[in-house]
Amino acid sequence: MSDAAASPAVAEDEAALATPFVKCLVRLIRAQDSYGSWEGKSDAELLADFIITKEQRRAIPINGDPDPDVLWRLDMFYTAVGLAIEERSGLMTSPVKPMRASGACFSRSGGWSFCRDVYRFGFETFRKLAEAGTKLVDDATAALRPIPTWHGREETDSRKDLCQT
C-alpha cells in the first residue's frame, strides 16, 4: 500500500482517537492497569482488540460462553459511555445490569437496548468505535437536558464537557 493511500486511513484513525469519547475509554482502560504493563502502549494498541474486521467477525464461533475478554471490552465500552454521560451532564450514572453470557442489557435514551451478539462485539475501524460511543453519549445527554433538577429549575447548558480533558 502506498503512503498516499495509507495517509487518509492514518489521519482518520488519529482523528477518531482524539475524540472525547475515545479519550474517555482510553483513560478507563489505563486505569485498569494496576501493574503498569500497558504503560508503554499507545492508545491505538490499547484499543486494537475493539477493532474486528468483517472476516474476523465471520470466523468467531457463537456457541458456548463468550470469551471473558469480549465481556471485559463490552463492559469497558459501556462503562466509558456512562462516564462520558456523567462527565458531560454532571449527573451520576450506573450500569443497569451486569454483563452475562446470555446477553447484555443497557438503558439508553428512549428505552432498552439488548446486545445479543456479544461474541462478535467490536467495530470495523477506530472511526466507527468513536462514532458509536459518541452517538450513545449524545443521545443520552440530549434526553437528559429537559429534565428539571430536584428543586424545580431546568439545567442550563453551562455544564462543561469534562471528558475532553
Side-chain angles (χ1 to χ4, degrees):
M1 183 182 282
S2 70
D3 288 340
S7 182
V10 170
E12 187 177 276
D13 285 349
E14 287 176 1
L17 292 170
T19 61
F21 171 75
V22 174
K23 285 183 175 184
C24 195
L25 177 60
V26 168
R27 279 197 328 265
L28 179 64
I29 291 171
R30 288 196 186 277
Q32 302 293 313
D33 183 22
S34 57
Y35 296 106
S37 54
W38 298 334
E39 199 170 297
K41 289 190 175 189
S42 69
D43 293 350
E45 289 174 315
L46 285 179
L47 297 173
D49 288 338
F50 284 87
I51 308 305
I52 299 175
T53 64
K54 288 182 181 180
E55 294 80 24
Q56 290 171 322
R57 191 177 308 276
R58 278 189 221 113
I60 297 172
I62 58 169
N63 54 355
D65 288 339
D67 188 318
D69 291 339
V70 173
L71 293 176
W72 182 81
R73 285 193 311 268
L74 189 69
D75 184 41
M76 290 295 102
F77 178 80
Y78 282 99
T79 301
V81 168
L83 285 173
I85 292 167
E86 187 173 308
E87 290 174 346
R88 186 181 293 180
S89 70
L91 301 171
M92 290 190 66
T93 63
S94 64
V96 174
K97 200 169 189 180
M99 304 297 152
R100 294 187 320 206
S102 61
C105 173
F106 307 98
S107 174
R108 60 176 218 192
S109 63
W112 295 95
S113 172
F114 291 92
C115 184
R116 294 187 181 147
D117 201 6
V118 172
Y119 302 90
R120 296 176 175 159
F121 178 76
F123 304 90
E124 289 184 41
T125 63
F126 288 121
R127 181 182 56 84
K128 289 188 177 187
L129 167 68
E131 287 173 354
T134 301
K135 181 176 179 354
L136 288 170
V137 173
D138 290 345
D139 289 349
T141 53
L144 291 173
R145 290 193 194 274
I147 297 174
T149 61
W150 62 273
H151 45 75
R153 293 187 322 213
E154 286 196 14
E155 290 286 333
T156 63
D157 288 336
S158 64
R159 295 171 290 202
K160 293 181 181 177
D161 187 358
L162 300 176
C163 199
Q164 293 185 20
T165 58

